[in-house]
Amino acid sequence: MAQQPVEMILLKQWAEHMASSVWLMDAEGNLVYYNEPAESILGLRFDEAGEINAAQIADLFPTTAPDGSPVDGDELPIVRALTHNEPSHAELCIRDRIGEWHNIEVTALPLVAASHRKLGAIAIFWEVDR
C-alpha cells in the first residue's frame, strides 16, 4: 500500500485508542484500517483482512436493512460518504465472517483535508439491541 497522507496516519493512531468500532478508507476506496472493536463485530482481524475495496464490502460482509431486505453495496454509509462526499447514517444488520448477524448503526463521514484534498472516509459503528 502506498504511503498514506499524514492526516490518515493520525486518524489510524486515533482509531487504535477508541472503544467505538472505526473503519477508515482512502480516497480510492481502499481499506486503510479498522480497529479492534470493529474486529469483534466483523469476525475478522484487521491483519488477516487483506486488501478490501469499497466495492467488495457488501460481498465480504452481507448486509440487510433491519427488516431483512437486502442493502445494495452502493448504499452502505461508508460507500456513500466516499462516492457522494456527504455524511451518511444507517441502521443495518451485518453478517460477520463467522456467520453471525449483528444489528448495528453506522455513521460515515467524508474526510477532506484543510487544503480541500479528498482523503477518503471514516465510519464509526456500534451494535444495538433490536
Side-chain angles (χ1 to χ4, degrees), residues 1-2 4 8 23-34 46 50-57 78-79 82 111 119-122:
M1 183 180 293
Q4 293 292 324
M8 293 298 276
W23 177 289
L24 287 171
M25 299 195 89
D26 66 17
E28 289 75 42
N30 298 307
L31 173 66
V32 171
Y33 177 72
Y34 59 81
F46 172 73
E51 294 184 20
I52 298 175
N53 186 277
Q56 299 170 301
I57 297 171
I78 191 78
V79 177
L82 279 167
L111 297 171
L119 297 171
I122 185 170

mmCIF file of all heavy atoms in Angstrom, residues 1-2 4 8 23-34 46 50-57 78-79 82 111 119-122:
data_model
loop_
_atom_site.group_PDB
_atom_site.id
_atom_site.type_symbol
_atom_site.label_atom_id
_atom_site.label_comp_id
_atom_site.label_asym_id
_atom_site.label_seq_id
_atom_site.Cartn_x
_atom_site.Cartn_y
_atom_site.Cartn_z
ATOM 1 N N MET A 1 0.844 -1.173 0.000
ATOM 2 C CA MET A 1 0.000 0.000 0.000
ATOM 3 C C MET A 1 0.892 1.239 0.000
ATOM 4 O O MET A 1 1.912 1.295 0.674
ATOM 5 C CB MET A 1 -0.937 -0.004 1.219
ATOM 6 C CG MET A 1 -1.896 1.166 1.226
ATOM 7 S SD MET A 1 -3.013 1.195 2.645
ATOM 8 C CE MET A 1 -3.999 -0.246 2.328
ATOM 9 N N ALA A 2 0.516 2.251 -0.747
ATOM 10 C CA ALA A 2 1.274 3.490 -0.837
ATOM 11 C C ALA A 2 1.254 4.228 0.495
ATOM 12 O O ALA A 2 0.368 4.024 1.317
ATOM 13 C CB ALA A 2 0.691 4.371 -1.943
ATOM 14 N N GLN A 4 0.435 6.743 3.168
ATOM 15 C CA GLN A 4 -0.789 7.487 3.425
ATOM 16 C C GLN A 4 -0.467 8.934 3.807
ATOM 17 O O GLN A 4 0.582 9.202 4.389
ATOM 18 C CB GLN A 4 -1.577 6.829 4.570
ATOM 19 C CG GLN A 4 -2.120 5.467 4.239
ATOM 20 C CD GLN A 4 -3.219 5.540 3.199
ATOM 21 O OE1 GLN A 4 -4.017 6.453 3.169
ATOM 22 N NE2 GLN A 4 -3.245 4.559 2.323
ATOM 23 N N MET A 8 -4.325 10.742 7.519
ATOM 24 C CA MET A 8 -4.815 9.364 7.647
ATOM 25 C C MET A 8 -3.989 8.587 8.670
ATOM 26 O O MET A 8 -4.524 7.768 9.422
ATOM 27 C CB MET A 8 -4.799 8.656 6.291
ATOM 28 C CG MET A 8 -5.789 9.230 5.292
ATOM 29 S SD MET A 8 -7.502 9.091 5.836
ATOM 30 C CE MET A 8 -7.852 7.417 5.315
ATOM 31 N N TRP A 23 -13.698 2.342 11.025
ATOM 32 C CA TRP A 23 -13.269 1.820 9.726
ATOM 33 C C TRP A 23 -12.803 3.002 8.898
ATOM 34 O O TRP A 23 -13.527 3.992 8.754
ATOM 35 C CB TRP A 23 -14.470 1.128 9.071
ATOM 36 C CG TRP A 23 -14.282 0.580 7.708
ATOM 37 C CD1 TRP A 23 -14.143 1.288 6.548
ATOM 38 C CD2 TRP A 23 -14.270 -0.797 7.322
ATOM 39 N NE1 TRP A 23 -14.029 0.437 5.481
ATOM 40 C CE2 TRP A 23 -14.099 -0.846 5.924
ATOM 41 C CE3 TRP A 23 -14.379 -1.985 8.030
ATOM 42 C CZ2 TRP A 23 -14.045 -2.041 5.219
ATOM 43 C CZ3 TRP A 23 -14.333 -3.176 7.323
ATOM 44 C CH2 TRP A 23 -14.167 -3.201 5.935
ATOM 45 N N LEU A 24 -11.587 2.956 8.339
ATOM 46 C CA LEU A 24 -11.025 4.037 7.522
ATOM 47 C C LEU A 24 -10.770 3.559 6.104
ATOM 48 O O LEU A 24 -10.199 2.482 5.909
ATOM 49 C CB LEU A 24 -9.683 4.502 8.100
ATOM 50 C CG LEU A 24 -9.677 5.310 9.367
ATOM 51 C CD1 LEU A 24 -8.251 5.469 9.888
ATOM 52 C CD2 LEU A 24 -10.293 6.669 9.126
ATOM 53 N N MET A 25 -11.153 4.382 5.125
ATOM 54 C CA MET A 25 -10.874 4.086 3.723
ATOM 55 C C MET A 25 -10.206 5.288 3.081
ATOM 56 O O MET A 25 -10.502 6.430 3.437
ATOM 57 C CB MET A 25 -12.161 3.741 2.972
ATOM 58 C CG MET A 25 -12.850 2.520 3.555
ATOM 59 S SD MET A 25 -14.090 1.819 2.490
ATOM 60 C CE MET A 25 -13.071 0.690 1.574
ATOM 61 N N ASP A 26 -9.313 5.025 2.115
ATOM 62 C CA ASP A 26 -8.642 6.124 1.434
ATOM 63 C C ASP A 26 -9.517 6.668 0.304
ATOM 64 O O ASP A 26 -10.620 6.156 0.056
ATOM 65 C CB ASP A 26 -7.253 5.699 0.944
ATOM 66 C CG ASP A 26 -7.259 4.636 -0.151
ATOM 67 O OD1 ASP A 26 -8.310 4.408 -0.798
ATOM 68 O OD2 ASP A 26 -6.198 4.028 -0.362
ATOM 69 N N ALA A 27 -9.040 7.680 -0.372
ATOM 70 C CA ALA A 27 -9.822 8.355 -1.412
ATOM 71 C C ALA A 27 -10.154 7.437 -2.585
ATOM 72 O O ALA A 27 -11.136 7.665 -3.291
ATOM 73 C CB ALA A 27 -9.081 9.597 -1.911
ATOM 74 N N GLU A 28 -9.356 6.390 -2.799
ATOM 75 C CA GLU A 28 -9.619 5.440 -3.880
ATOM 76 C C GLU A 28 -10.589 4.341 -3.465
ATOM 77 O O GLU A 28 -10.907 3.458 -4.250
ATOM 78 C CB GLU A 28 -8.303 4.819 -4.380
ATOM 79 C CG GLU A 28 -7.426 5.773 -5.165
ATOM 80 C CD GLU A 28 -6.717 6.772 -4.257
ATOM 81 O OE1 GLU A 28 -6.218 6.369 -3.181
ATOM 82 O OE2 GLU A 28 -6.660 7.952 -4.621
ATOM 83 N N GLY A 29 -11.037 4.385 -2.217
ATOM 84 C CA GLY A 29 -11.988 3.392 -1.728
ATOM 85 C C GLY A 29 -11.348 2.127 -1.207
ATOM 86 O O GLY A 29 -11.998 1.084 -1.128
ATOM 87 N N ASN A 30 -10.080 2.197 -0.831
ATOM 88 C CA ASN A 30 -9.381 1.039 -0.283
ATOM 89 C C ASN A 30 -9.338 1.116 1.234
ATOM 90 O O ASN A 30 -9.120 2.184 1.807
ATOM 91 C CB ASN A 30 -7.949 0.975 -0.827
ATOM 92 C CG ASN A 30 -7.932 0.807 -2.319
ATOM 93 O OD1 ASN A 30 -8.561 -0.094 -2.863
ATOM 94 N ND2 ASN A 30 -7.227 1.694 -3.000
ATOM 95 N N LEU A 31 -9.523 -0.023 1.867
ATOM 96 C CA LEU A 31 -9.431 -0.095 3.316
ATOM 97 C C LEU A 31 -8.038 0.330 3.760
ATOM 98 O O LEU A 31 -7.037 -0.146 3.233
ATOM 99 C CB LEU A 31 -9.715 -1.528 3.787
ATOM 100 C CG LEU A 31 -9.494 -1.809 5.266
ATOM 101 C CD1 LEU A 31 -10.501 -1.030 6.112
ATOM 102 C CD2 LEU A 31 -9.594 -3.300 5.530
ATOM 103 N N VAL A 32 -7.998 1.225 4.741
ATOM 104 C CA VAL A 32 -6.747 1.643 5.346
ATOM 105 C C VAL A 32 -6.579 0.939 6.685
ATOM 106 O O VAL A 32 -5.501 0.441 7.009
ATOM 107 C CB VAL A 32 -6.713 3.182 5.541
ATOM 108 C CG1 VAL A 32 -5.509 3.610 6.359
ATOM 109 C CG2 VAL A 32 -6.740 3.885 4.202
ATOM 110 N N TYR A 33 -7.680 0.868 7.456
ATOM 111 C CA TYR A 33 -7.573 0.313 8.799
ATOM 112 C C TYR A 33 -8.960 0.137 9.397
ATOM 113 O O TYR A 33 -9.876 0.895 9.095
ATOM 114 C CB TYR A 33 -6.775 1.284 9.691
ATOM 115 C CG TYR A 33 -6.648 0.854 11.119
ATOM 116 C CD1 TYR A 33 -5.829 -0.206 11.474
ATOM 117 C CD2 TYR A 33 -7.337 1.510 12.134
ATOM 118 C CE1 TYR A 33 -5.707 -0.606 12.802
ATOM 119 C CE2 TYR A 33 -7.217 1.125 13.461
ATOM 120 C CZ TYR A 33 -6.404 0.059 13.784
ATOM 121 O OH TYR A 33 -6.290 -0.336 15.086
ATOM 122 N N TYR A 34 -9.116 -0.884 10.236
ATOM 123 C CA TYR A 34 -10.212 -0.919 11.201
ATOM 124 C C TYR A 34 -9.656 -1.414 12.525
ATOM 125 O O TYR A 34 -8.689 -2.172 12.567
ATOM 126 C CB TYR A 34 -11.447 -1.684 10.735
ATOM 127 C CG TYR A 34 -11.291 -3.138 10.370
ATOM 128 C CD1 TYR A 34 -11.274 -4.130 11.341
ATOM 129 C CD2 TYR A 34 -11.228 -3.529 9.045
ATOM 130 C CE1 TYR A 34 -11.189 -5.473 11.005
ATOM 131 C CE2 TYR A 34 -11.141 -4.868 8.690
ATOM 132 C CZ TYR A 34 -11.119 -5.831 9.670
ATOM 133 O OH TYR A 34 -11.022 -7.158 9.331
ATOM 134 N N PHE A 46 -8.011 -7.318 11.579
ATOM 135 C CA PHE A 46 -7.561 -6.429 10.506
ATOM 136 C C PHE A 46 -6.350 -6.995 9.784
ATOM 137 O O PHE A 46 -6.288 -6.977 8.552
ATOM 138 C CB PHE A 46 -7.238 -5.020 11.058
ATOM 139 C CG PHE A 46 -6.596 -4.143 10.035
ATOM 140 C CD1 PHE A 46 -7.339 -3.618 8.990
ATOM 141 C CD2 PHE A 46 -5.241 -3.860 10.096
ATOM 142 C CE1 PHE A 46 -6.746 -2.818 8.016
ATOM 143 C CE2 PHE A 46 -4.642 -3.061 9.134
ATOM 144 C CZ PHE A 46 -5.396 -2.539 8.089
ATOM 145 N N GLY A 50 -6.585 -8.494 4.573
ATOM 146 C CA GLY A 50 -6.050 -8.294 3.243
ATOM 147 C C GLY A 50 -6.620 -7.025 2.632
ATOM 148 O O GLY A 50 -7.234 -6.202 3.313
ATOM 149 N N GLU A 51 -6.431 -6.867 1.337
ATOM 150 C CA GLU A 51 -6.918 -5.679 0.661
ATOM 151 C C GLU A 51 -8.425 -5.771 0.463
ATOM 152 O O GLU A 51 -8.929 -6.776 -0.028
ATOM 153 C CB GLU A 51 -6.210 -5.503 -0.677
ATOM 154 C CG GLU A 51 -4.739 -5.204 -0.531
ATOM 155 C CD GLU A 51 -4.066 -4.945 -1.863
ATOM 156 O OE1 GLU A 51 -4.755 -4.623 -2.849
ATOM 157 O OE2 GLU A 51 -2.836 -5.070 -1.908
ATOM 158 N N ILE A 52 -9.118 -4.725 0.868
ATOM 159 C CA ILE A 52 -10.568 -4.647 0.692
ATOM 160 C C ILE A 52 -10.886 -3.315 0.031
ATOM 161 O O ILE A 52 -10.448 -2.272 0.506
ATOM 162 C CB ILE A 52 -11.310 -4.755 2.040
ATOM 163 C CG1 ILE A 52 -11.029 -6.096 2.709
ATOM 164 C CG2 ILE A 52 -12.817 -4.558 1.842
ATOM 165 C CD1 ILE A 52 -11.623 -6.235 4.116
ATOM 166 N N ASN A 53 -11.634 -3.373 -1.048
ATOM 167 C CA ASN A 53 -12.085 -2.169 -1.737
ATOM 168 C C ASN A 53 -13.553 -1.949 -1.404
ATOM 169 O O ASN A 53 -14.268 -2.898 -1.082
ATOM 170 C CB ASN A 53 -11.892 -2.324 -3.248
ATOM 171 C CG ASN A 53 -12.197 -1.050 -3.985
ATOM 172 O OD1 ASN A 53 -13.350 -0.768 -4.275
ATOM 173 N ND2 ASN A 53 -11.170 -0.275 -4.266
ATOM 174 N N ALA A 54 -13.999 -0.710 -1.513
ATOM 175 C CA ALA A 54 -15.391 -0.373 -1.194
ATOM 176 C C ALA A 54 -16.381 -1.263 -1.942
ATOM 177 O O ALA A 54 -17.417 -1.639 -1.403
ATOM 178 C CB ALA A 54 -15.656 1.097 -1.505
ATOM 179 N N ALA A 55 -16.064 -1.628 -3.172
ATOM 180 C CA ALA A 55 -16.965 -2.461 -3.971
ATOM 181 C C ALA A 55 -17.100 -3.871 -3.413
ATOM 182 O O ALA A 55 -18.058 -4.582 -3.737
ATOM 183 C CB ALA A 55 -16.478 -2.515 -5.422
ATOM 184 N N GLN A 56 -16.181 -4.297 -2.543
ATOM 185 C CA GLN A 56 -16.188 -5.658 -2.008
ATOM 186 C C GLN A 56 -16.854 -5.776 -0.638
ATOM 187 O O GLN A 56 -17.097 -6.887 -0.176
ATOM 188 C CB GLN A 56 -14.753 -6.172 -1.882
ATOM 189 C CG GLN A 56 -13.995 -6.232 -3.180
ATOM 190 C CD GLN A 56 -12.532 -6.516 -2.916
ATOM 191 O OE1 GLN A 56 -11.858 -5.765 -2.229
ATOM 192 N NE2 GLN A 56 -12.051 -7.622 -3.470
ATOM 193 N N ILE A 57 -17.120 -4.666 0.023
ATOM 194 C CA ILE A 57 -17.594 -4.724 1.407
ATOM 195 C C ILE A 57 -18.865 -5.540 1.546
ATOM 196 O O ILE A 57 -18.967 -6.412 2.408
ATOM 197 C CB ILE A 57 -17.804 -3.307 1.978
ATOM 198 C CG1 ILE A 57 -16.486 -2.549 2.013
ATOM 199 C CG2 ILE A 57 -18.406 -3.380 3.386
ATOM 200 C CD1 ILE A 57 -16.640 -1.084 2.365
ATOM 201 N N ILE A 78 -20.442 4.051 4.385
ATOM 202 C CA ILE A 78 -19.053 4.369 4.041
ATOM 203 C C ILE A 78 -18.900 4.595 2.541
ATOM 204 O O ILE A 78 -18.156 5.472 2.105
ATOM 205 C CB ILE A 78 -18.069 3.285 4.557
ATOM 206 C CG1 ILE A 78 -16.609 3.744 4.429
ATOM 207 C CG2 ILE A 78 -18.264 1.965 3.839
ATOM 208 C CD1 ILE A 78 -16.150 4.695 5.462
ATOM 209 N N VAL A 79 -19.631 3.836 1.746
ATOM 210 C CA VAL A 79 -19.555 3.996 0.288
ATOM 211 C C VAL A 79 -20.206 5.312 -0.127
ATOM 212 O O VAL A 79 -19.680 6.038 -0.971
ATOM 213 C CB VAL A 79 -20.186 2.785 -0.430
ATOM 214 C CG1 VAL A 79 -20.185 2.979 -1.935
ATOM 215 C CG2 VAL A 79 -19.440 1.498 -0.052
ATOM 216 N N LEU A 82 -17.891 8.120 0.569
ATOM 217 C CA LEU A 82 -16.823 8.166 -0.427
ATOM 218 C C LEU A 82 -17.306 8.693 -1.777
ATOM 219 O O LEU A 82 -16.661 9.550 -2.376
ATOM 220 C CB LEU A 82 -16.243 6.762 -0.648
ATOM 221 C CG LEU A 82 -15.226 6.262 0.343
ATOM 222 C CD1 LEU A 82 -14.994 4.778 0.162
ATOM 223 C CD2 LEU A 82 -13.924 7.033 0.208
ATOM 224 N N LEU A 111 -13.756 12.420 4.454
ATOM 225 C CA LEU A 111 -12.587 13.057 5.053
ATOM 226 C C LEU A 111 -11.953 13.978 4.023
ATOM 227 O O LEU A 111 -11.535 13.533 2.947
ATOM 228 C CB LEU A 111 -11.574 11.996 5.501
ATOM 229 C CG LEU A 111 -12.064 11.052 6.589
ATOM 230 C CD1 LEU A 111 -11.058 9.920 6.797
ATOM 231 C CD2 LEU A 111 -12.295 11.807 7.892
ATOM 232 N N LEU A 119 -9.453 12.901 1.230
ATOM 233 C CA LEU A 119 -8.612 11.883 1.848
ATOM 234 C C LEU A 119 -9.246 10.504 1.835
ATOM 235 O O LEU A 119 -8.550 9.496 1.820
ATOM 236 C CB LEU A 119 -8.307 12.269 3.298
ATOM 237 C CG LEU A 119 -7.525 13.552 3.511
ATOM 238 C CD1 LEU A 119 -7.491 13.902 4.985
ATOM 239 C CD2 LEU A 119 -6.117 13.404 2.958
ATOM 240 N N GLY A 120 -10.586 10.445 1.902
ATOM 241 C CA GLY A 120 -11.282 9.172 1.991
ATOM 242 C C GLY A 120 -12.527 9.320 2.830
ATOM 243 O O GLY A 120 -13.234 10.321 2.748
ATOM 244 N N ALA A 121 -12.777 8.323 3.690
ATOM 245 C CA ALA A 121 -13.971 8.358 4.543
ATOM 246 C C ALA A 121 -13.712 7.548 5.808
ATOM 247 O O ALA A 121 -12.863 6.651 5.835
ATOM 248 C CB ALA A 121 -15.180 7.803 3.798
ATOM 249 N N ILE A 122 -14.476 7.889 6.839
ATOM 250 C CA ILE A 122 -14.407 7.179 8.110
ATOM 251 C C ILE A 122 -15.812 6.742 8.489
ATOM 252 O O ILE A 122 -16.774 7.480 8.267
ATOM 253 C CB ILE A 122 -13.801 8.070 9.217
ATOM 254 C CG1 ILE A 122 -13.609 7.283 10.519
ATOM 255 C CG2 ILE A 122 -14.623 9.337 9.427
ATOM 256 C CD1 ILE A 122 -12.805 8.038 11.568
#
